[in-house]
Amino acid sequence: MPIKLNSTDADFEARFAEMLSAKREDSADVGDTVSAIIADVRARGDEALCELTAKFDGMELSPEGLRFSPEEIAEQVAKVSTEDRAALQLAAERIRAYHARQIPDDASWTDPDGATLGWRWTAVGAAGLYVPGGQAAYPSSVLMNAIPARVAGVERLVITVPTPRGVVNPLVLLAAQLSGVDEVYRIGGAQAIAALAYGTNTIRPVDKITGPGNAYVAAAKRQVFGKVGIDMIAGPSEVLIIAEGEQNPDWLALDLLAQAEHDADAQSILITTDEMLAHAVAGAVDRILPTLPRAEIAGASWRDYGTIIVVRDLDEAAALSNRIAPEHLELCVDDPEALALKCRDAGAIFLGAHTPEAVGDYVSGPNHVLPTARSARFSSGLSVLDFLKRTTMAKLSPGALAAIGPAAVRLAGAEGLQAHGASVQARLSVLNERGAG
Amino acid sequence: MPIKLNSTDADFEARFAEMLSAKREDSADVGDTVSAIIADVRARGDEALCELTAKFDGMELSPEGLRFSPEEIAEQVAKVSTEDRAALQLAAERIRAYHARQIPDDASWTDPDGATLGWRWTAVGAAGLYVPGGQAAYPSSVLMNAIPARVAGVERLVITVPTPRGVVNPLVLLAAQLSGVDEVYRIGGAQAIAALAYGTNTIRPVDKITGPGNAYVAAAKRQVFGKVGIDMIAGPSEVLIIAEGEQNPDWLALDLLAQAEHDADAQSILITTDEMLAHAVAGAVDRILPTLPRAEIAGASWRDYGTIIVVRDLDEAAALSNRIAPEHLELCVDDPEALALKCRDAGAIFLGAHTPEAVGDYVSGPNHVLPTARSARFSSGLSVLDFLKRTTMAKLSPGALAAIGPAAVRLAGAEGLQAHGASVQARLSVLNERGAG
């Protein structure tokens, strides 16, 4: 039974707070195992990689066999149907077009004191994308990670994707090809993250690692953070739908179930001003759920974390939304733009009844890698900016140094940093002599 | 003795690689102690805060006394000299002017298929800035952290600054006032980070924590990451100066020493095309070093990590710079703009002989919180963006869904996510009926 709340209930605040703080993830403590794997790959390189791949993926590989050859990729990609290829191409084009608009501008200006200031964006040199293998290999995730990197101008783009017992997903390789990936290695787990961060004879290290993975991959990313950059560690996914009365209950039920089918830890929440709609959606979920191939997963998620909340008005809905800070927020209301302005914290907003969250997972264009577990309060989805870094620039004319240097000397003195002050004062003294000369 | 290298030496590559991989930080493992402190503050709130503050800072406080009152702040701020106040005001104005240009634009457009796409930036709701106490309390760091948050539009801005045995730095409180900080608490250490992340009766929790601190503060920030956002964990600071022949050796020596005086783990590197200049700078360092109040710290840094490298030309200098990926890069050459284009990885670049790094620490305008330990390869200095998050927006017209929805259905099928496909297909079916009707 999903949680059903009404904001007029006496115990509403307590029950909403309880729902909000429920821990959905059982994070296995695999830190020590992962540390050992990373140390092994650092010490023994390809040899360790091959052994670990034999052990965990049931694949006997030589160092030369770690990388997919162009022929192997072509052979796999040829298996993709024309329809699947066309769909993936459409997705790639739309994702590319959206992300191309995210490229930020450099800036340079000279202020009245004569200081030329600004910044410059440059791409990360090399990026590595982790792609889970087997059943959880999602070609859409390849596009969502690789295309922003390519748009940013990353020179070298590497994918690792395990092929447990030899299982290769042709769509993943096609997605890599469409995204312009340079190298694809058939490794996974913490050993793949270690190889990307520290390099081996076969695999050169990268500067940034992104992409989803299991508990071992997540722990490995945490451990190599600092040596390389990483994206956010994703938690279980969630959707919040805010709906008014005149909505199609089946559509909303399917949107809730689309979230629930990801993972038993996923969470689907409906907030509505209309108690009749709440009942109708709950009924539709019960009717549709058994028909789904992934009914077991979706059923567990809906039973344990599914929530329907009836509220007085949309202002109340927006206030609750901001406390939830959902990864995905669907606004199925008459004026979604107005409501969106009140919903401050969300990873992605889907406006109106014809924008189901699932189109955002594949083809609308924005990234589907989004902040989970209330982190939309302080972080953003994956973007071109994740593959760029900004260098600040400053050039002072002698006049500018004369104008603002004395304040630096003063503050350096106040902070007890004499050499800081002296490095400025030495220049000011020469300028003063010249001025006096 | 600093390291002296010449790129023509037979063992240059080995010795440069050794210098690059030298571990400068001895990171004490304080994780368990910090976990216990965080758990204590979560469990007992203000009571734990007061006990820990008595224990670690020698300050007996009641919960009501944790926060500086407006009268206490006014009393402290009145102690600041007119000259110091003017210098701090100039710095604040220049930092504000620089960061105001970093506010990114929202975007919204409608593509040919009828999909309205874009994104929206909003400020983090509440930010907490950690300021170290006692000797290491730097008012400039308050400005560098608080002003970008305020420029971003953060509604609630909190500072924690420990006051060990009652020592308060009036300039820190003035910097907080000039930056528009809302609340200042006299707490520090892991307990301050725990209070900011989880809240107590007295201190409401924040969404993002930034600012430098000791090993306990850094470990606490790592542990609360996820619950709140954090900035990068800073390592020891470094400067790289690239210089041609016609430079003033004393100026360069002072710039190297300004870096070295921060911390015995700091690193100062000079790369020059001119062997004579290398000798002159080395001599100037030896001459000036004993005159510094912080000679012991600067001397240790210069002895253990100071490096002078003579290279054939500026291209070689730029290539080495990119391998170092320095936090601060000074280009004291005839054409610094041309050289800057070749130096891809650096936190901040200072162009020309009249832009000593120390002006960047205080008054030039760009942020002085910058990526250390080679992380400029993949990350950027603190900016307004660190206090904003981006929400992606999508609204499909019925026509847009009809155009791109089938590709989403196809890909959902390929990924085995039936409910995803069905949520799109249900809408497409209704549209088709309408179209056929």
Side-chain angles (χ1 to χ4, degrees), chain A residues 81 83-84 87-88 90-91 94 98 101-102 109 111 113 115 117-125 138-140 155 171 206-207 222 225-229 232 251 254-255 257-258 261-262 292-294 330 336-337 340-341 343-351 353-359 361-364 366 370 374 376-383 385 388-398 401 404 407-408 410-412 414-420 422-424 426-427 430-431, chain B residues 81 83-84 87-88 90-91 94 98 101-102 109 111 113 115 117-125 138-140 155 171 206-207 222 225-229 232 251 254-255 257-258 261-262 292-294 330 336-337 340-341 343-351 353-356 358-359 361-364 366 374 376-383 385 388-398 401 404 407-408 410-412 414-420 422-424 426-427 430-431 434:
Chain A
S81 73
E83 293 80 1
D84 282 353
L88 209 58
L90 177 76
R94 292 190 58 89
Y98 182 90
R101 293 187 181 241
Q102 291 180 328
W109 66 92
D111 72 17
D113 287 322
L117 304 172
W119 62 78
R120 181 188 77 184
W121 291 92
T122 49
V124 164
Y138 291 147
S140 59
E155 279 177 22
L171 272 170
V206 302
D207 303 300
R222 270 189 198 276
F225 173 56
K227 168 69 182 168
V228 298
M232 178 150 285
W251 296 3
L254 282 164
D255 294 350
L257 288 169
E261 76 175 339
H262 268 294
L292 297 175
R294 294 169 70 92
E330 269 190 39
E337 286 82 1
L341 289 175
C343 297
R344 200 179 63 172
D345 295 341
I349 302 183
F350 303 84
L351 296 96
H354 292 94
T355 319
E357 189 273 329
V359 297
D361 283 341
Y362 297 111
V363 293
S364 62
L370 293 165
R374 303 193 64 224
R377 292 176 297 123
F378 54 80
S379 63
S380 312
L382 197 70
S383 80
L385 292 182
L388 296 170
K389 63 267 187 327
R390 189 188 49 247
T391 300
T392 62
M393 317 283 282
K395 183 181 189 181
L396 270 57
S397 65
L401 187 65
I404 68 175
R410 186 92 211 166
L411 292 171
E415 293 188 353
L417 297 174
Q418 283 340 107
H420 280 66
S423 74
V424 178
R427 289 157 165 101
V430 171
L431 292 176
Chain B
S81 72
E83 293 81 1
D84 282 352
L88 209 58
L90 176 76
R94 293 189 58 89
Y98 182 90
R101 293 187 181 241
Q102 291 181 328
W109 66 93
D111 71 17
D113 287 322
L117 303 173
W119 60 78
R120 180 188 77 184
W121 292 93
T122 49
V124 164
Y138 291 147
S140 59
E155 279 177 22
L171 271 170
V206 302
D207 302 302
R222 270 189 197 275
F225 173 55
K227 168 70 183 169
V228 298
M232 179 150 287
W251 296 3
L254 283 164
D255 295 350
L257 289 169
E261 76 175 339
H262 268 296
L292 296 176
R294 293 169 71 91
E330 269 191 37
E337 285 83 0
L341 289 175
C343 297
R344 199 179 63 172
D345 295 341
I349 302 183
F350 303 84
L351 296 96
H354 291 95
T355 317
V359 297
D361 284 339
Y362 296 110
V363 293
S364 62
R374 303 194 64 225
R377 291 175 298 123
F378 55 79
S379 63
S380 312
L382 197 69
S383 80
L385 292 182
L388 296 169
K389 64 265 187 330
R390 189 188 50 248
T391 300
T392 62
M393 316 284 281
K395 183 181 189 182
L396 270 58
S397 66
L401 187 65
I404 69 174
R410 186 91 210 168
L411 292 171
E415 293 189 352
L417 297 173
Q418 279 346 104
H420 279 66
S423 74
V424 177
R427 288 157 165 102
V430 171
L431 292 176
R434 279 193 216 150

Side-chain angles (χ1 to χ4, degrees), chain B residues 43-88:
Chain B
R44 297 193 301 131
D46 288 332
E47 193 183 330
L49 265 191
C50 291
E51 279 182 27
L52 292 162
T53 302
K55 179 177 170 187
F56 292 118
D57 297 335
M59 286 286 289
E60 296 287 344
L61 295 171
S62 66
E64 298 70 36
L66 290 173
R67 181 171 172 180
F68 277 96
S69 70
E71 296 72 29
E72 288 169 320
I73 293 176
E75 186 191 327
Q76 291 293 333
V77 161
K79 297 178 185 169
V80 176
S81 72
T82 312
E83 293 81 1
D84 282 352
R85 172 183 279 273
L88 209 58

Side-chain angles (χ1 to χ4, degrees), chain B residues 5 26 61 72 95 104 149 228 241 244 251-252 268 283 296 313 343 357 363 381 400 405 409 422:
Chain B
L5 305 176
D26 54 337
L61 295 171
E72 288 169 320
I95 294 164
V228 298
I241 304 175
E244 284 176 315
W251 296 3
L252 302 184
S268 302
E296 197 171 334
D313 55 35
C343 297
E357 189 274 328
V363 293
V409 175

